[in-house]
């Protein structure tokens, strides 16, 4: 695929988005920069951009094969992903299979217990407000998505969980929770952003060792090693290009 990269459209905390010579396509460039707690904590995780780009590509390909529409088009390089251009819906959708993070804080329940059936949460994507949790009525009030769109988003988020959970389990990873973002491509809704150790909690199935961004958030050490381990389990095994 030959596309010409044009100007920068947007620079976020972990990625830069570039326009291309096609109005329907953009390029996501994955950086090593990491932030937490609404960018109050900043750092870099060497090699993270490569891991997140490749891991996301694998998972988007898998989801695409299972009928989940994603923005993924092609991998252009170690850090560059060609994607369909979306009008991003300003909702962060979280799916939880295990008590952890803000669910543990919110409920006072210790981390590690199962969440059955999975819980879906919505957060308003707003740096100024610190991404507050919102419900379906708030989504309607703010005009972020229509009720049918939100129903589709919820259903699709659970479907993504149903595909990713066993796939990761086969690679000895427990999918504790994860964040998704959706957007509109014309009139269709499509899964966007990334699916990576930045946006998922992944615990070793046996030892419960945290193999995700919590190592950075909580200063657990061996951050780079955790990202590389996820890469090995999800990308390394398949050989180049697969
Ligand atoms: P939480 O427990 O802090 O609410 O996080 C739930 C999941 O969402 C976890 O897998 C990490 C991911 N996440 C993001 O991708 N971006 C964010 O800004 C936050 C706070 C969490």
């Amino acid at each position: 695929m030959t596309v010409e990269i044009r100007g920068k459209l947007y620079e976020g905390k972990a990625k830069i988005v570039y326009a291309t010579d096609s109005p329907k396509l953009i390029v996501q460039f994955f950086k090593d920069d990491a932030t937490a707690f609404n960018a109050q904590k900043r750092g870099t995780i060497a090699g993270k951009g490569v891991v997140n780009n490749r891991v996301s590509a694998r998972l988007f390909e898998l989801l695409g094969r299972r009928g989940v529409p994603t923005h993924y088009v092609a991998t252009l390089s170690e850090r560059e992903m060609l994607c369909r251009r979306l009008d991003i819906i300003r909702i962060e959708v979280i799916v939880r299979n295990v008590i952890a993070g803000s669910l543990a804080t919110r409920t006072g329940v210790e981390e590690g217990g199962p969440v059955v059936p999975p819980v879906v949460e919505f957060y308003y994507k707003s740096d100024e407000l610190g991404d507050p949790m919102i419900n379906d009525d708030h989504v309607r009030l703010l005009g972020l998505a229509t009720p049918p769109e939100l129903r589709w988003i919820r259903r699709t988020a659970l479907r993504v969980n149903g595909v990713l959970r066993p796939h990761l389990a086969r690679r000895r990873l427990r999918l504790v929770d994860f964040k998704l973002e959706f957007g509109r491509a014309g009139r269709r809704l499509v899964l966007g952003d990334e699916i990576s150790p930045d946006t998922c909690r992944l615990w070793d199935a046996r030892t419960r060792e945290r193999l995700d961004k919590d190592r950075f958030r909580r200063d657990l050490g061996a951050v780079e090693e955790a990202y590389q381990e996820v890469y090995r389990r999800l990308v390394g095994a398949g050989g180049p290009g697969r």
Side-chain angles (χ1 to χ4, degrees), residues 156-217:
T156 305
L158 288 170
R159 222 165 106 211
V160 169
N161 190 42
V163 172
L164 295 187
R165 233 176 135 179
H167 179 80
L168 294 166
R170 282 193 291 278
R171 287 148 185 85
R172 293 175 288 119
L173 291 171
R174 191 166 177 205
L175 181 59
V176 169
D177 54 34
F178 58 96
K179 187 229 8 172
L180 301 176
E181 293 183 27
F182 294 88
R184 302 181 187 90
R187 278 158 50 194
R188 281 186 72 206
L189 289 178
V190 176
L191 178 61
D193 196 44
E194 65 179 278
I195 309 177
S196 71
D198 270 17
T199 62
C200 302
R201 283 198 175 91
L202 302 167
W203 293 359
D204 181 89
R206 197 172 51 81
T207 65
R208 285 193 171 194
E209 189 187 356
R210 284 157 166 77
L211 297 173
D212 56 59
K213 196 175 162 190
D214 269 352
R215 300 207 73 83
F216 169 78
R217 294 190 191 99

Side-chain angles (χ1 to χ4, degrees), residues 57-75:
R58 280 304 170 91
L59 298 179
F60 281 140
E61 282 167 356
L62 170 69
L63 290 165
R65 289 197 297 272
R66 300 292 197 85
V68 175
T70 83
H71 71 157
Y72 177 79
V73 176
T75 299

